[in-house]
Amino acid sequence: MPELEAIIFDVDGTLADTERDGHRVAFNAAFADAGLDWEWSVPLYGELLRVTGGKERIRTYLAEHRPDFVPSEPLDDFIRGLHQRKTAHYTQMMRAGGIGLRPGVLRLLREAMDAGIRLAIATTTTPANVSALLSAVAVPGHYPALEHWFEVVAAGDVVPAKKPAPDIFSLALAQLELPATACVAVEDSDNGVRSALGAGLDALLVTVSSYTQDQDLGDAALVVDGLGEPDAPPPRVLGGGCADPMAAALRDAGCVDLAVLRALHRCAAAGS
Ligand code: XBP
Ligand code: MG
């Protein structure tokens, strides 16, 4: 069985819980800038999140909720311009430290860095959004800026098909020059689970986020409510093929640490 060599992280909902108070707010700010009376409420945005990609999400909203809207320019240009405004709002919010990393993320990233485990990102969001989020995170003095901890950042329109298609995870694996069996993936959503499993990443950890708590994510190896911290209550196990054998390792560790990820990697390899 190959050793664990890399961890591939999703971004939105996984590294940080960005959708409700980040992306959704940025979309609404862009609509206001454009003089549109569109307002994506928390519930409506939760429905639209089934579509990955901000431009694709706007297109779906138009088709389903604004069928009579006629843009003043070709539709593709209109959507692209609106999405660029949204990204400007979002990156400004992130740079200002609007939304920090989820609990345990920096701890796990640092543990992986210290152990020589390579780090990668596979996300549907726009690359500028990843940079803005990571640039606002303070790291210990002798470490490089957080963005430089990730050897590979596969993000946004670089693949023909977005999640749940496997393309973005397959691209991250290709850029790492690693087989899926040498990696663990971390996701938060059903689209992300289908994408990672489709790329052969059976060692898949899910940390549910505010919009994905009620999704059926049990095809992953392990589903928990978060990575946890050593001085906080241990993560709740919510499901997954490795839930039973992993329960003891999680209880002993008190959080998802590198040893737990190595155990998950072994469990998934044994099951495949
Ligand atoms: C989440 C997405 C993205 C964001 C919005 O990506 O589906 O579309 O919601 O970002 P992931 P953009 O969970 O894969 O990180 O507007 O830049 O698409
Ligand atoms: Mg996500």
Side-chain angles (χ1 to χ4, degrees), residues 10-13 19 23 27 45 49 51-57 83 86-87 122-126 129 162-163 187-189:
D10 163 55
V11 174
D12 295 304
E19 293 292 0
H23 288 295
F27 277 111
Y45 191 66
L49 268 177
V51 177
T52 60
K55 295 186 289 293
E56 296 79 356
R57 200 164 298 145
H83 189 251
K86 175 263 175 181
T87 300
T123 175
T124 302
T125 198
T126 304
N129 294 344
K162 293 183 176 175
K163 297 176 186 176
E187 260 288 353
D188 78 298
S189 71

PDB file of all heavy atoms in Angstrom, residues 10-13 19 23 27 45 49 51-57 83 86-87 122-126 129 162-163 187-189, ligand 1:
ATOM      1  N   ASP A  10     -10.347  20.748  -0.620  1.00  0.00           N
ATOM      2  CA  ASP A  10     -11.347  21.651  -1.192  1.00  0.00           C
ATOM      3  C   ASP A  10     -11.203  22.978  -0.439  1.00  0.00           C
ATOM      4  O   ASP A  10     -10.568  23.048   0.619  1.00  0.00           O
ATOM      5  CB  ASP A  10     -12.733  21.023  -0.944  1.00  0.00           C
ATOM      6  CG  ASP A  10     -13.868  22.002  -1.113  1.00  0.00           C
ATOM      7  OD1 ASP A  10     -13.951  22.624  -2.188  1.00  0.00           O
ATOM      8  OD2 ASP A  10     -14.664  22.188  -0.157  1.00  0.00           O
ATOM      9  N   VAL A  11     -11.800  24.046  -0.976  1.00  0.00           N
ATOM     10  CA  VAL A  11     -11.678  25.361  -0.321  1.00  0.00           C
ATOM     11  C   VAL A  11     -12.980  25.775   0.369  1.00  0.00           C
ATOM     12  O   VAL A  11     -13.076  25.768   1.609  1.00  0.00           O
ATOM     13  CB  VAL A  11     -11.243  26.440  -1.322  1.00  0.00           C
ATOM     14  CG1 VAL A  11     -11.273  27.827  -0.679  1.00  0.00           C
ATOM     15  CG2 VAL A  11      -9.853  26.138  -1.857  1.00  0.00           C
ATOM     16  N   ASP A  12     -13.988  26.091  -0.407  1.00  0.00           N
ATOM     17  CA  ASP A  12     -15.212  26.664   0.174  1.00  0.00           C
ATOM     18  C   ASP A  12     -15.993  25.627   0.966  1.00  0.00           C
ATOM     19  O   ASP A  12     -16.395  24.611   0.435  1.00  0.00           O
ATOM     20  CB  ASP A  12     -16.076  27.260  -0.946  1.00  0.00           C
ATOM     21  CG  ASP A  12     -15.383  28.441  -1.607  1.00  0.00           C
ATOM     22  OD1 ASP A  12     -15.025  29.397  -0.890  1.00  0.00           O
ATOM     23  OD2 ASP A  12     -15.158  28.399  -2.820  1.00  0.00           O
ATOM     24  N   GLY A  13     -16.146  25.925   2.235  1.00  0.00           N
ATOM     25  CA  GLY A  13     -16.830  25.008   3.146  1.00  0.00           C
ATOM     26  C   GLY A  13     -15.861  24.095   3.857  1.00  0.00           C
ATOM     27  O   GLY A  13     -16.186  23.510   4.893  1.00  0.00           O
ATOM     28  N   GLU A  19     -19.405  30.236   2.183  1.00  0.00           N
ATOM     29  CA  GLU A  19     -20.533  30.432   1.256  1.00  0.00           C
ATOM     30  C   GLU A  19     -21.587  31.415   1.757  1.00  0.00           C
ATOM     31  O   GLU A  19     -21.903  32.404   1.082  1.00  0.00           O
ATOM     32  CB  GLU A  19     -21.195  29.067   0.943  1.00  0.00           C
ATOM     33  CG  GLU A  19     -20.308  28.127   0.144  1.00  0.00           C
ATOM     34  CD  GLU A  19     -20.054  28.575  -1.285  1.00  0.00           C
ATOM     35  OE1 GLU A  19     -20.561  29.649  -1.698  1.00  0.00           O
ATOM     36  OE2 GLU A  19     -19.338  27.862  -2.011  1.00  0.00           O
ATOM     37  N   HIS A  23     -19.363  34.362  -0.166  1.00  0.00           N
ATOM     38  CA  HIS A  23     -19.774  34.378  -1.580  1.00  0.00           C
ATOM     39  C   HIS A  23     -21.184  34.948  -1.746  1.00  0.00           C
ATOM     40  O   HIS A  23     -21.417  35.786  -2.628  1.00  0.00           O
ATOM     41  CB  HIS A  23     -19.725  32.952  -2.151  1.00  0.00           C
ATOM     42  CG  HIS A  23     -18.340  32.438  -2.362  1.00  0.00           C
ATOM     43  ND1 HIS A  23     -17.461  32.987  -3.264  1.00  0.00           N
ATOM     44  CD2 HIS A  23     -17.663  31.421  -1.775  1.00  0.00           C
ATOM     45  CE1 HIS A  23     -16.312  32.337  -3.237  1.00  0.00           C
ATOM     46  NE2 HIS A  23     -16.411  31.382  -2.333  1.00  0.00           N
ATOM     47  N   PHE A  27     -22.127  38.113  -4.078  1.00  0.00           N
ATOM     48  CA  PHE A  27     -23.068  38.087  -5.212  1.00  0.00           C
ATOM     49  C   PHE A  27     -24.096  39.212  -5.064  1.00  0.00           C
ATOM     50  O   PHE A  27     -24.357  39.973  -6.005  1.00  0.00           O
ATOM     51  CB  PHE A  27     -23.805  36.733  -5.264  1.00  0.00           C
ATOM     52  CG  PHE A  27     -23.037  35.631  -5.946  1.00  0.00           C
ATOM     53  CD1 PHE A  27     -22.534  34.558  -5.212  1.00  0.00           C
ATOM     54  CD2 PHE A  27     -22.830  35.650  -7.314  1.00  0.00           C
ATOM     55  CE1 PHE A  27     -21.832  33.536  -5.831  1.00  0.00           C
ATOM     56  CE2 PHE A  27     -22.130  34.624  -7.950  1.00  0.00           C
ATOM     57  CZ  PHE A  27     -21.632  33.572  -7.202  1.00  0.00           C
ATOM     58  N   TYR A  45     -29.867  30.772  -1.674  1.00  0.00           N
ATOM     59  CA  TYR A  45     -28.469  30.462  -2.027  1.00  0.00           C
ATOM     60  C   TYR A  45     -28.163  28.996  -1.740  1.00  0.00           C
ATOM     61  O   TYR A  45     -27.477  28.330  -2.523  1.00  0.00           O
ATOM     62  CB  TYR A  45     -27.508  31.365  -1.252  1.00  0.00           C
ATOM     63  CG  TYR A  45     -26.080  31.285  -1.768  1.00  0.00           C
ATOM     64  CD1 TYR A  45     -25.752  31.750  -3.037  1.00  0.00           C
ATOM     65  CD2 TYR A  45     -25.073  30.716  -0.997  1.00  0.00           C
ATOM     66  CE1 TYR A  45     -24.455  31.661  -3.530  1.00  0.00           C
ATOM     67  CE2 TYR A  45     -23.776  30.625  -1.482  1.00  0.00           C
ATOM     68  CZ  TYR A  45     -23.478  31.096  -2.745  1.00  0.00           C
ATOM     69  OH  TYR A  45     -22.192  30.992  -3.240  1.00  0.00           O
ATOM     70  N   LEU A  49     -26.655  26.459  -4.538  1.00  0.00           N
ATOM     71  CA  LEU A  49     -25.325  25.863  -4.335  1.00  0.00           C
ATOM     72  C   LEU A  49     -25.222  24.474  -4.950  1.00  0.00           C
ATOM     73  O   LEU A  49     -24.116  23.940  -5.068  1.00  0.00           O
ATOM     74  CB  LEU A  49     -24.996  25.789  -2.843  1.00  0.00           C
ATOM     75  CG  LEU A  49     -24.236  26.984  -2.263  1.00  0.00           C
ATOM     76  CD1 LEU A  49     -24.060  26.803  -0.767  1.00  0.00           C
ATOM     77  CD2 LEU A  49     -22.889  27.172  -2.948  1.00  0.00           C
ATOM     78  N   VAL A  51     -25.478  23.986  -7.837  1.00  0.00           N
ATOM     79  CA  VAL A  51     -24.718  24.284  -9.065  1.00  0.00           C
ATOM     80  C   VAL A  51     -23.356  24.865  -8.667  1.00  0.00           C
ATOM     81  O   VAL A  51     -23.305  25.883  -7.969  1.00  0.00           O
ATOM     82  CB  VAL A  51     -25.472  25.317  -9.927  1.00  0.00           C
ATOM     83  CG1 VAL A  51     -24.656  25.678 -11.173  1.00  0.00           C
ATOM     84  CG2 VAL A  51     -26.846  24.783 -10.315  1.00  0.00           C
ATOM     85  N   THR A  52     -22.293  24.221  -9.081  1.00  0.00           N
ATOM     86  CA  THR A  52     -20.969  24.734  -8.710  1.00  0.00           C
ATOM     87  C   THR A  52     -20.513  25.754  -9.751  1.00  0.00           C
ATOM     88  O   THR A  52     -20.892  25.670 -10.918  1.00  0.00           O
ATOM     89  CB  THR A  52     -19.929  23.595  -8.638  1.00  0.00           C
ATOM     90  OG1 THR A  52     -19.856  22.969  -9.925  1.00  0.00           O
ATOM     91  CG2 THR A  52     -20.306  22.568  -7.587  1.00  0.00           C
ATOM     92  N   GLY A  53     -19.732  26.718  -9.321  1.00  0.00           N
ATOM     93  CA  GLY A  53     -19.259  27.757 -10.235  1.00  0.00           C
ATOM     94  C   GLY A  53     -20.181  28.963 -10.185  1.00  0.00           C
ATOM     95  O   GLY A  53     -21.384  28.819 -10.424  1.00  0.00           O
ATOM     96  N   GLY A  54     -19.602  30.118  -9.881  1.00  0.00           N
ATOM     97  CA  GLY A  54     -20.428  31.329  -9.733  1.00  0.00           C
ATOM     98  C   GLY A  54     -21.122  31.737 -11.014  1.00  0.00           C
ATOM     99  O   GLY A  54     -22.315  32.096 -11.007  1.00  0.00           O
ATOM    100  N   LYS A  55     -20.444  31.651 -12.143  1.00  0.00           N
ATOM    101  CA  LYS A  55     -21.077  32.033 -13.417  1.00  0.00           C
ATOM    102  C   LYS A  55     -22.207  31.054 -13.746  1.00  0.00           C
ATOM    103  O   LYS A  55     -23.308  31.468 -14.139  1.00  0.00           O
ATOM    104  CB  LYS A  55     -20.027  32.034 -14.536  1.00  0.00           C
ATOM    105  CG  LYS A  55     -18.953  33.071 -14.365  1.00  0.00           C
ATOM    106  CD  LYS A  55     -18.008  33.155 -15.551  1.00  0.00           C
ATOM    107  CE  LYS A  55     -17.092  31.962 -15.651  1.00  0.00           C
ATOM    108  NZ  LYS A  55     -16.111  31.901 -14.524  1.00  0.00           N
ATOM    109  N   GLU A  56     -21.955  29.777 -13.506  1.00  0.00           N
ATOM    110  CA  GLU A  56     -22.989  28.761 -13.767  1.00  0.00           C
ATOM    111  C   GLU A  56     -24.176  28.954 -12.840  1.00  0.00           C
ATOM    112  O   GLU A  56     -25.333  28.739 -13.209  1.00  0.00           O
ATOM    113  CB  GLU A  56     -22.384  27.351 -13.581  1.00  0.00           C
ATOM    114  CG  GLU A  56     -21.282  27.000 -14.558  1.00  0.00           C
ATOM    115  CD  GLU A  56     -19.907  27.604 -14.231  1.00  0.00           C
ATOM    116  OE1 GLU A  56     -19.820  28.394 -13.243  1.00  0.00           O
ATOM    117  OE2 GLU A  56     -18.944  27.328 -14.942  1.00  0.00           O
ATOM    118  N   ARG A  57     -23.891  29.415 -11.616  1.00  0.00           N
ATOM    119  CA  ARG A  57     -24.961  29.637 -10.632  1.00  0.00           C
ATOM    120  C   ARG A  57     -25.843  30.821 -11.056  1.00  0.00           C
ATOM    121  O   ARG A  57     -27.055  30.773 -10.944  1.00  0.00           O
ATOM    122  CB  ARG A  57     -24.344  29.908  -9.258  1.00  0.00           C
ATOM    123  CG  ARG A  57     -25.239  29.708  -8.066  1.00  0.00           C
ATOM    124  CD  ARG A  57     -24.421  29.625  -6.778  1.00  0.00           C
ATOM    125  NE  ARG A  57     -23.509  28.492  -6.810  1.00  0.00           N
ATOM    126  CZ  ARG A  57     -22.286  28.504  -6.260  1.00  0.00           C
ATOM    127  NH1 ARG A  57     -21.815  29.583  -5.666  1.00  0.00           N
ATOM    128  NH2 ARG A  57     -21.531  27.425  -6.322  1.00  0.00           N
ATOM    129  N   HIS A  83     -20.034  38.505 -12.689  1.00  0.00           N
ATOM    130  CA  HIS A  83     -19.221  37.618 -11.858  1.00  0.00           C
ATOM    131  C   HIS A  83     -17.885  38.271 -11.513  1.00  0.00           C
ATOM    132  O   HIS A  83     -17.354  38.100 -10.399  1.00  0.00           O
ATOM    133  CB  HIS A  83     -18.994  36.279 -12.566  1.00  0.00           C
ATOM    134  CG  HIS A  83     -18.359  35.262 -11.672  1.00  0.00           C
ATOM    135  ND1 HIS A  83     -17.062  34.834 -11.809  1.00  0.00           N
ATOM    136  CD2 HIS A  83     -18.842  34.616 -10.581  1.00  0.00           C
ATOM    137  CE1 HIS A  83     -16.774  33.972 -10.867  1.00  0.00           C
ATOM    138  NE2 HIS A  83     -17.839  33.806 -10.109  1.00  0.00           N
ATOM    139  N   LYS A  86     -18.549  40.448  -8.659  1.00  0.00           N
ATOM    140  CA  LYS A  86     -18.719  39.633  -7.457  1.00  0.00           C
ATOM    141  C   LYS A  86     -17.358  39.221  -6.899  1.00  0.00           C
ATOM    142  O   LYS A  86     -17.111  39.282  -5.700  1.00  0.00           O
ATOM    143  CB  LYS A  86     -19.575  38.398  -7.789  1.00  0.00           C
ATOM    144  CG  LYS A  86     -19.727  37.411  -6.654  1.00  0.00           C
ATOM    145  CD  LYS A  86     -18.716  36.266  -6.780  1.00  0.00           C
ATOM    146  CE  LYS A  86     -18.814  35.369  -5.583  1.00  0.00           C
ATOM    147  NZ  LYS A  86     -17.844  34.248  -5.636  1.00  0.00           N
ATOM    148  N   THR A  87     -16.476  38.812  -7.781  1.00  0.00           N
ATOM    149  CA  THR A  87     -15.140  38.381  -7.341  1.00  0.00           C
ATOM    150  C   THR A  87     -14.373  39.545  -6.724  1.00  0.00           C
ATOM    151  O   THR A  87     -13.674  39.374  -5.716  1.00  0.00           O
ATOM    152  CB  THR A  87     -14.362  37.790  -8.534  1.00  0.00           C
ATOM    153  OG1 THR A  87     -15.097  36.664  -9.040  1.00  0.00           O
ATOM    154  CG2 THR A  87     -12.964  37.344  -8.132  1.00  0.00           C
ATOM    155  N   ALA A 122      -7.961  21.621  -4.575  1.00  0.00           N
ATOM    156  CA  ALA A 122      -8.796  21.324  -5.752  1.00  0.00           C
ATOM    157  C   ALA A 122     -10.158  21.976  -5.503  1.00  0.00           C
ATOM    158  O   ALA A 122     -10.951  21.509  -4.681  1.00  0.00           O
ATOM    159  CB  ALA A 122      -8.968  19.819  -5.934  1.00  0.00           C
ATOM    160  N   THR A 123     -10.428  23.089  -6.182  1.00  0.00           N
ATOM    161  CA  THR A 123     -11.618  23.881  -5.883  1.00  0.00           C
ATOM    162  C   THR A 123     -12.287  24.389  -7.155  1.00  0.00           C
ATOM    163  O   THR A 123     -11.641  24.586  -8.190  1.00  0.00           O
ATOM    164  CB  THR A 123     -11.251  25.108  -5.019  1.00  0.00           C
ATOM    165  OG1 THR A 123     -12.407  25.926  -4.829  1.00  0.00           O
ATOM    166  CG2 THR A 123     -10.165  25.958  -5.665  1.00  0.00           C
ATOM    167  N   THR A 124     -13.592  24.617  -7.037  1.00  0.00           N
ATOM    168  CA  THR A 124     -14.351  25.196  -8.142  1.00  0.00           C
ATOM    169  C   THR A 124     -14.219  26.712  -8.159  1.00  0.00           C
ATOM    170  O   THR A 124     -14.423  27.347  -9.199  1.00  0.00           O
ATOM    171  CB  THR A 124     -15.841  24.830  -7.969  1.00  0.00           C
ATOM    172  OG1 THR A 124     -15.955  23.413  -7.932  1.00  0.00           O
ATOM    173  CG2 THR A 124     -16.676  25.359  -9.100  1.00  0.00           C
ATOM    174  N   THR A 125     -13.864  27.290  -7.038  1.00  0.00           N
ATOM    175  CA  THR A 125     -13.865  28.757  -6.968  1.00  0.00           C
ATOM    176  C   THR A 125     -12.733  29.354  -7.798  1.00  0.00           C
ATOM    177  O   THR A 125     -11.813  28.675  -8.240  1.00  0.00           O
ATOM    178  CB  THR A 125     -13.784  29.238  -5.503  1.00  0.00           C
ATOM    179  OG1 THR A 125     -14.210  30.596  -5.438  1.00  0.00           O
ATOM    180  CG2 THR A 125     -12.378  29.121  -4.945  1.00  0.00           C
ATOM    181  N   THR A 126     -12.809  30.627  -8.009  1.00  0.00           N
ATOM    182  CA  THR A 126     -11.861  31.398  -8.823  1.00  0.00           C
ATOM    183  C   THR A 126     -10.504  31.499  -8.117  1.00  0.00           C
ATOM    184  O   THR A 126     -10.472  31.742  -6.898  1.00  0.00           O
ATOM    185  CB  THR A 126     -12.457  32.806  -9.035  1.00  0.00           C
ATOM    186  OG1 THR A 126     -13.750  32.654  -9.636  1.00  0.00           O
ATOM    187  CG2 THR A 126     -11.586  33.683  -9.894  1.00  0.00           C
ATOM    188  N   ASN A 129      -9.865  34.135  -5.550  1.00  0.00           N
ATOM    189  CA  ASN A 129     -10.556  33.971  -4.257  1.00  0.00           C
ATOM    190  C   ASN A 129      -9.708  33.142  -3.298  1.00  0.00           C
ATOM    191  O   ASN A 129      -9.708  33.393  -2.091  1.00  0.00           O
ATOM    192  CB  ASN A 129     -11.910  33.298  -4.459  1.00  0.00           C
ATOM    193  CG  ASN A 129     -12.876  34.160  -5.251  1.00  0.00           C
ATOM    194  OD1 ASN A 129     -12.657  35.368  -5.401  1.00  0.00           O
ATOM    195  ND2 ASN A 129     -13.930  33.558  -5.771  1.00  0.00           N
ATOM    196  N   LYS A 162     -16.761  21.267 -14.049  1.00  0.00           N
ATOM    197  CA  LYS A 162     -16.563  21.549 -12.620  1.00  0.00           C
ATOM    198  C   LYS A 162     -17.190  20.425 -11.783  1.00  0.00           C
ATOM    199  O   LYS A 162     -17.895  19.556 -12.302  1.00  0.00           O
ATOM    200  CB  LYS A 162     -17.166  22.920 -12.273  1.00  0.00           C
ATOM    201  CG  LYS A 162     -16.396  24.059 -12.957  1.00  0.00           C
ATOM    202  CD  LYS A 162     -16.898  25.439 -12.602  1.00  0.00           C
ATOM    203  CE  LYS A 162     -15.983  26.483 -13.255  1.00  0.00           C
ATOM    204  NZ  LYS A 162     -16.466  27.883 -13.071  1.00  0.00           N
ATOM    205  N   LYS A 163     -16.903  20.466 -10.466  1.00  0.00           N
ATOM    206  CA  LYS A 163     -17.498  19.474  -9.569  1.00  0.00           C
ATOM    207  C   LYS A 163     -19.012  19.433  -9.804  1.00  0.00           C
ATOM    208  O   LYS A 163     -19.616  20.486 -10.072  1.00  0.00           O
ATOM    209  CB  LYS A 163     -17.233  19.848  -8.106  1.00  0.00           C
ATOM    210  CG  LYS A 163     -15.749  19.859  -7.736  1.00  0.00           C
ATOM    211  CD  LYS A 163     -15.540  20.328  -6.307  1.00  0.00           C
ATOM    212  CE  LYS A 163     -14.068  20.474  -5.976  1.00  0.00           C
ATOM    213  NZ  LYS A 163     -13.841  21.017  -4.608  1.00  0.00           N
ATOM    214  N   GLU A 187     -13.115  17.284   1.849  1.00  0.00           N
ATOM    215  CA  GLU A 187     -14.215  17.976   1.180  1.00  0.00           C
ATOM    216  C   GLU A 187     -15.296  18.349   2.180  1.00  0.00           C
ATOM    217  O   GLU A 187     -15.213  18.030   3.371  1.00  0.00           O
ATOM    218  CB  GLU A 187     -14.806  17.050   0.094  1.00  0.00           C
ATOM    219  CG  GLU A 187     -14.324  17.360  -1.325  1.00  0.00           C
ATOM    220  CD  GLU A 187     -14.927  18.641  -1.879  1.00  0.00           C
ATOM    221  OE1 GLU A 187     -15.815  19.247  -1.239  1.00  0.00           O
ATOM    222  OE2 GLU A 187     -14.499  19.047  -2.959  1.00  0.00           O
ATOM    223  N   ASP A 188     -16.342  19.054   1.682  1.00  0.00           N
ATOM    224  CA  ASP A 188     -17.464  19.397   2.585  1.00  0.00           C
ATOM    225  C   ASP A 188     -18.835  19.127   1.977  1.00  0.00           C
ATOM    226  O   ASP A 188     -19.849  19.272   2.682  1.00  0.00           O
ATOM    227  CB  ASP A 188     -17.394  20.889   2.959  1.00  0.00           C
ATOM    228  CG  ASP A 188     -17.914  21.782   1.821  1.00  0.00           C
ATOM    229  OD1 ASP A 188     -17.312  21.744   0.730  1.00  0.00           O
ATOM    230  OD2 ASP A 188     -18.935  22.465   2.030  1.00  0.00           O
ATOM    231  N   SER A 189     -18.919  18.777   0.677  1.00  0.00           N
ATOM    232  CA  SER A 189     -20.245  18.753   0.041  1.00  0.00           C
ATOM    233  C   SER A 189     -20.448  17.514  -0.833  1.00  0.00           C
ATOM    234  O   SER A 189     -19.480  16.819  -1.171  1.00  0.00           O
ATOM    235  CB  SER A 189     -20.396  19.987  -0.853  1.00  0.00           C
ATOM    236  OG  SER A 189     -19.558  19.845  -1.996  1.00  0.00           O
TER     237      SER A 189
HETATM  238  C1  XBP B   1     -17.456  26.227  -4.214  1.00  0.00           C
HETATM  239  C2  XBP B   1     -18.105  26.712  -5.449  1.00  0.00           C
HETATM  240  C3  XBP B   1     -17.719  28.063  -5.978  1.00  0.00           C
HETATM  241  C4  XBP B   1     -18.091  29.137  -4.961  1.00  0.00           C
HETATM  242  C5  XBP B   1     -18.178  30.506  -5.598  1.00  0.00           C
HETATM  243  O1  XBP B   1     -16.203  25.747  -4.608  1.00  0.00           O
HETATM  244  O2  XBP B   1     -18.908  26.006  -6.040  1.00  0.00           O
HETATM  245  O3  XBP B   1     -18.442  28.274  -7.172  1.00  0.00           O
HETATM  246  O4  XBP B   1     -19.403  28.842  -4.467  1.00  0.00           O
HETATM  247  O5  XBP B   1     -16.938  30.803  -6.204  1.00  0.00           O
HETATM  248  P1  XBP B   1     -15.441  24.563  -3.756  1.00  0.00           P
HETATM  249  P2  XBP B   1     -16.916  31.377  -7.707  1.00  0.00           P
HETATM  250  O6  XBP B   1     -16.390  24.022  -2.703  1.00  0.00           O
HETATM  251  O7  XBP B   1     -15.071  23.556  -4.810  1.00  0.00           O
HETATM  252  O8  XBP B   1     -14.233  25.249  -3.138  1.00  0.00           O
HETATM  253  O9  XBP B   1     -17.978  32.463  -7.775  1.00  0.00           O
HETATM  254  O10 XBP B   1     -15.520  31.916  -7.889  1.00  0.00           O
HETATM  255  O11 XBP B   1     -17.229  30.204  -8.571  1.00  0.00           O
END
